[in-house]
Amino acid sequence: MTVQLSNLEHLPNYQITERLDVVYGSTVRSKHVGKDLFAGLKNIVGGELTAYTELLEESRQEAIDRMIVKAEALGADAVVGLRFSTSSIAQGASELFVYGTAVKAVPMQLQSYQNPPTNGHQQSDQYPPTQTPAPVPTDDLPRFNPFG
């Protein structure tokens, strides 16, 4: 099962049918002493601190993977409203926290236009049709507010 992720409150081209629960993942990482010394030297001359960039990327992916495991356990198709947060836990150690709302979602039926009959010419005011399907409302479900 592939859990889709969205930082939006909805999933484009899907209709949310059920909100399951808040899911989260976190990891606490500390800096490597050797890399920290190199970063201190790099800070003098300027430039990207690639050791920290790699550390953050690994932390993000680990936190996301942990959140996805929790979403899959609930039977979720997607996690919407995805957010990241960081905090300092101790000297040299930080937490990366990711959270969102696990939902069940189904693909929306997209209307495909058929080519108009060809009789030697095509009038541009007849195609595409003037009637377009109304979007399926997703606002009838309560929005998740992580802060209460």
Side-chain angles (χ1 to χ4, degrees), residues 1 3 13-14 41 64 67 69 76 88 92 99 103 112 118 131 135 141 147:
M1 171 196 277
V3 174
N13 300 322
Y14 284 79
L41 295 173
I64 288 171
M67 180 190 66
V69 167
S88 179
Y99 61 95
V103 298
S112 61
T118 57
Q131 292 182 342
L141 297 172
F147 303 108

Side-chain angles (χ1 to χ4, degrees), residues 71-146:
E72 287 175 338
L74 294 172
D77 299 312
V79 176
V80 296
L82 193 69
R83 301 289 185 264
F84 287 92
S85 176
T86 60
S87 61
S88 179
I89 300 298
Q91 181 69 27
S94 296
E95 176 189 37
L96 193 132
F97 187 76
V98 61
Y99 61 95
T101 304
V103 298
K104 287 191 174 280
V106 294
M108 286 196 281
Q109 296 294 328
L110 299 176
Q111 181 178 0
S112 61
Y113 294 114
Q114 294 179 346
N115 290 333
T118 57
N119 56 1
H121 67 283
Q122 179 180 354
Q123 294 180 350
S124 61
D125 61 338
Q126 291 181 352
Y127 186 79
T130 56
Q131 292 182 342
T132 56
V136 178
T138 58
D139 293 335
D140 58 340
L141 297 172
R143 292 193 177 263
F144 166 68
N145 181 354

Side-chain angles (χ1 to χ4, degrees), residues 8-88:
L8 304 172
E9 296 297 324
H10 66 283
L11 193 60
N13 300 322
Y14 284 79
Q15 180 178 4
I16 294 174
T17 58
E18 184 179 355
R19 295 194 195 291
L20 300 172
D21 202 357
V22 174
V23 289
Y24 63 89
S26 69
T27 183
V28 177
R29 297 287 183 104
S30 65
K31 298 179 278 188
H32 182 276
V33 175
K35 291 180 180 180
D36 197 35
L37 288 173
F38 178 72
L41 295 173
K42 184 78 169 189
N43 199 23
I44 294 170
V45 296
E48 181 181 8
L49 304 175
T50 55
Y52 288 150
T53 302
E54 291 169 6
L55 178 67
L56 282 172
E57 182 57 34
E58 290 170 6
S59 298
R60 277 188 214 100
Q61 194 57 56
E62 186 172 339
I64 288 171
D65 291 345
R66 290 176 178 176
M67 180 190 66
I68 288 173
V69 167
K70 291 178 181 177
E72 287 175 338
L74 294 172
D77 299 312
V79 176
V80 296
L82 193 69
R83 301 289 185 264
F84 287 92
S85 176
T86 60
S87 61
S88 179

